Amino acid sequence: AQSVTQLDSQVPVFEEAPVELRCNYSSSVSVYLFWYVQYPNQGLQLLLKYLSGSTLVKGINGFEAEFNKSQTSFHLRKPSVHISDTAEYFCAVSPRSGGYQKVTFGTGTKLQVIP
Amino acid sequence: GAVVSQHPSRVICKSGTSVKIECRSLDFQATTMFWYRQFPKQSLMLMATSNEGSKATYEQGVEKDKFLINHASLTLSTLTVTSAHPEDSSFYICSALPGTGGWGNTEAFFGQGTRLTVV
């Protein structure tokens, strides 16, 4: 079984400032890691994913995340946010064995970009 | 990229009626589709895994007789909320896993969600 903890339910940040959204996970097996973005009344869009290889993963819209195995973290970062980044962000994990069958989502972090 | 279309995006129904939500993979085949429910200010909770040509697998606590899932083709899964009540009001999201095998794939693609309001 796995679990995902997103420590911050809301993160306000000024436009053009950097942001970090935190994600920690717990799992008894090796996992894949994902970050999704959800705009109001819409489904989820994949920002980035970590499968293997380099621990620094670059995604769409200028986001990146770093996998830290020792700290079981997968924090999402962006050096300069825009108003359009205002949305809810979900961290997720799925077990490597068996593919995407049992993905687990965190509770989400609402990013509020202030003009 | 892979596109999943979910319909309708919003629906309002009277208590006691049934509502069908469709999830279609437009440019790929998906043996496996997932149905989630999202309450306000909460994360997505997996309701069931829909498998083409076989019965869906429901998560613990989800009533299979209330939430009927039919995955009749490799591109379409439907969720029917039967005898809907106000407590069923929620945001329902589907996702589809590309590939006919369903195993070993690392990413599913999400529909845009359906806002169900039962009055």
Side-chain angles (χ1 to χ4, degrees):
Chain A
Q2 48 275 345
S3 65
V4 179
T5 302
Q6 291 182 247
L7 298 168
D8 306 300
S9 59
Q10 294 191 54
V11 173
V13 62
F14 286 103
E15 191 174 16
E16 297 184 6
V19 69
E20 178 179 81
L21 306 183
R22 296 181 292 171
C23 173
N24 289 87
Y25 69 94
S26 173
S27 178
S28 56
V29 299
S30 294
V31 295
Y32 297 128
L33 297 138
F34 307 84
W35 273 100
Y36 289 90
V37 59
Q38 183 182 34
Y39 298 101
N41 292 311
Q42 293 189 29
L44 274 66
Q45 180 182 5
L46 182 69
L47 278 177
L48 49 80
K49 60 184 177 182
Y50 173 76
L51 305 181
S52 63
S54 173
T55 57
L56 182 63
V57 181
K58 293 189 183 295
I60 63 171
N61 301 341
F63 284 94
E64 64 180 32
E66 185 156 20
F67 170 54
N68 188 318
K69 188 175 182 179
S70 62
Q71 297 185 7
T72 60
S73 67
F74 191 53
H75 301 332
L76 181 70
R77 294 191 287 260
K78 186 170 183 177
S80 176
V81 296
H82 302 286
I83 293 292
S84 59
D85 294 323
T86 295
E88 189 151 22
Y89 293 80
F90 291 94
C91 181
V93 301
S94 69
R96 287 177 176 266
S97 175
Y100 198 85
Q101 299 298 318
K102 287 292 183 181
V103 64
T104 301
F105 291 89
T107 50
T109 298
K110 283 193 173 179
L111 175 62
Q112 179 69 43
V113 180
I114 304 164
Chain B
V3 179
V4 175
S5 176
Q6 193 173 334
H7 178 81
S9 58
R10 289 178 178 270
V11 59
I12 301 173
C13 70
K14 291 185 177 181
S15 185
T17 61
S18 295
V19 174
K20 181 184 285 188
I21 303 170
E22 293 187 346
C23 181
R24 291 182 185 272
S25 56
L26 298 186
D27 49 4
F28 65 95
Q29 293 183 329
T31 304
T32 304
M33 293 186 178
F34 304 94
W35 286 96
Y36 298 87
R37 185 172 180 177
Q38 186 180 28
F39 289 103
K41 300 182 181 181
Q42 294 189 29
S43 187
L44 282 74
M45 299 300 295
L46 180 66
M47 298 175 65
T49 302
S50 169
N51 300 294
E52 188 267 338
S54 64
K55 291 183 178 181
T57 303
Y58 290 82
E59 295 299 302
Q60 192 173 6
V62 177
E63 299 176 59
K64 62 180 181 181
D65 294 330
K66 181 169 185 60
F67 298 100
L68 300 179
I69 291 173
N70 184 12
H71 195 155
S73 77
L74 287 171
T75 59
L76 174 64
S77 176
T78 60
L79 169 68
T80 301
V81 183
T82 62
S83 187
H85 292 284
E87 56 265 31
D88 298 324
S89 297
S90 189
F91 195 58
Y92 293 87
I93 305 177
C94 72
S95 69
L97 192 65
T100 55
W103 297 95
N105 287 308
T106 59
E107 180 184 348
F109 296 91
F110 286 81
Q112 61 267 53
T114 297
R115 173 73 60 193
L116 170 63
T117 303
V118 185
V119 298

